[in-house]
Amino acid sequence: AAAAETRTLGGLINGQFCMSVVSVEIRTARLGDAEQVCGLMTELGYPTTAESMADRLAGILGEPDCATFVAETDGTVVGIAGATVSRHYEKDGLISELVVLVVASAFRKAGIGARLVHAVERWAAANGARSMLVTSGLPREDAHRFYEGCGYVRTGFRFSKLLGDAG
């Protein structure tokens, strides 16, 4: 369900500090959001094209074990959060993993990220998840503090490996 909330944001616009009041709605993502989500993913450090993002969203949005929420203000998508629910080997029951979270830099520190995380957590609980996981790259110290502020606890390290031909 969509929820709108008005916040006062401050930030640099053309080198000058400005304050503005914006209404931000958290809603379920749509395929038509792909171009704006592409910009957010690029800002997060994962450059992509609008076409590739549309292909990814087309596959993700139809999956019952996935949820994608966006934060929108005045027709502009300024944040995205996505999660999955699945079974894991190490715990009983379902676990949800927050697999993407990004808020446009001009809109950070206004509670939008926390609202997106809360939307994901509500969805996860409603879909049977008993806990949440999030992975965040080592250099993203601001993100680590954000997640800790949302009640998440550091529990380990992530390792990554690209797979070539399996044969």
Side-chain angles (χ1 to χ4, degrees):
E5 183 176 303
T6 301
R7 292 285 179 124
T8 302
L9 300 177
L12 290 177
I13 298 175
N14 295 329
Q16 300 228 334
F17 186 80
C18 300
M19 296 293 288
S20 63
V21 177
V22 296
S23 177
V24 177
E25 176 187 7
I26 306 298
R27 63 167 174 80
T28 302
R30 300 184 287 257
L31 191 55
D33 297 325
E35 188 170 344
Q36 294 181 72
V37 169
C38 167
L40 291 169
M41 295 306 296
T42 298
E43 186 172 338
L44 187 60
Y46 301 100
T48 189
T49 64
E51 181 180 17
S52 288
M53 197 71 247
D55 287 345
R56 292 178 205 164
L57 281 177
I60 293 168
L61 295 178
E63 290 291 326
D65 294 337
C66 296
T68 308
F69 298 95
V70 295
E72 182 179 51
T73 182
D74 294 327
T76 301
V77 173
V78 298
I80 183 171
T84 62
V85 170
S86 63
R87 295 195 179 278
H88 287 228
Y89 293 97
E90 70 275 16
K91 292 184 180 182
D92 292 334
L94 295 172
I95 298 172
S96 182
E97 185 169 1
L98 180 63
V99 293
V100 66
L101 176 67
V102 60
V103 174
S105 58
F107 291 86
R108 291 185 187 148
K109 305 221 184 278
I112 296 170
R115 288 182 60 209
L116 285 164
V117 168
H118 187 63
V120 164
E121 290 172 346
R122 281 193 319 266
W123 171 83
N127 283 274
R130 296 171 53 173
S131 63
M132 293 286 308
L133 296 174
V134 63
T135 301
S136 180
L138 288 174
R140 300 185 190 277
E141 292 179 10
D142 286 345
H144 304 164
R145 285 189 292 278
F146 167 80
Y147 290 122
E148 288 169 341
C150 289
Y152 289 77
V153 178
R154 291 181 197 227
T155 58
F157 290 95
R158 170 186 70 179
F159 296 90
S160 176
K161 178 181 179 181
L162 293 176
L163 298 178
D165 292 334

